[in-house]
Amino acid sequence: MPKPILVAHTDKAQLQLAGATRIINVAATAVAAQGVAHISLTGGTMGIAVLAGIA
C-alpha cells in the first residue's frame, strides 16, 4: 500500500479542483492499465463539489 501524501490547499475551490483532477488522472491511469476503474467516495459538501468538478 502506498504511503499517504498530505497536500494542503488554500481554499475550498482549490481543494475541489485538485480533488477532481486527481480522481480523473488516477482513474484514467487505472483504465489504461487494467481496463476498468472503481471509485468509492464519501458524501458531504466537499465530496459533492469534487463530483461536480468531475462532471
Side-chain angles (χ1 to χ4, degrees), residues 11-49:
D11 59 26
K12 291 179 182 180
Q14 186 185 38
L15 174 59
Q16 180 267 338
L17 178 61
T21 301
R22 176 82 172 134
I23 289 171
I24 291 168
N25 290 339
V26 170
T29 300
V31 171
Q34 302 171 1
V36 66
H38 298 278
I39 300 170
S40 178
L41 302 173
T42 63
T45 55
M46 186 50 63
I48 292 167

